[in-house]
Amino acid sequence: MKEIHGAHWNLEIGALTEMFAFKEPSPLVLFDQIPDHAANFRVAANLINTRPVPGLTVGMPANAAPIELVAR
């Protein structure tokens, strides 16, 4: 898990989420202390982007290859 404090909701959270999605392994990213939001407001990203979660979420084996997921 990667925790990031103070990323702005308008552009930074989306860009950082996209950057971490292409890392191998892709970590769950938790954004905290988001400007213009309450102190207890958080955003979690890349929740199902780590193996074996994508396969399991669509009813496939945990070791399903990425190409199998795309085909499904």
Side-chain angles (χ1 to χ4, degrees):
M1 183 177 101
K2 179 76 174 165
E3 195 167 339
I4 299 176
H5 300 280
H8 197 274
W9 58 268
N10 188 25
L11 298 174
E12 292 176 322
I13 289 178
L16 289 166
T17 298
E18 189 75 13
M19 287 171 52
F20 281 109
F22 288 102
K23 289 187 72 132
E24 218 20 79
S26 178
L28 179 139
V29 184
L30 180 66
F31 295 97
D32 197 6
Q33 301 172 3
I34 300 167
D36 303 326
H37 287 280
N40 63 348
F41 185 84
R42 295 180 177 144
V43 172
N46 290 341
L47 295 170
I48 63 166
N49 207 27
T50 58
R51 283 192 172 183
V53 179
L56 296 174
T57 59
V58 294
M60 295 181 71
N63 62 350
I67 193 70
E68 293 177 86
L69 295 170
V70 172
R72 180 122 197 212

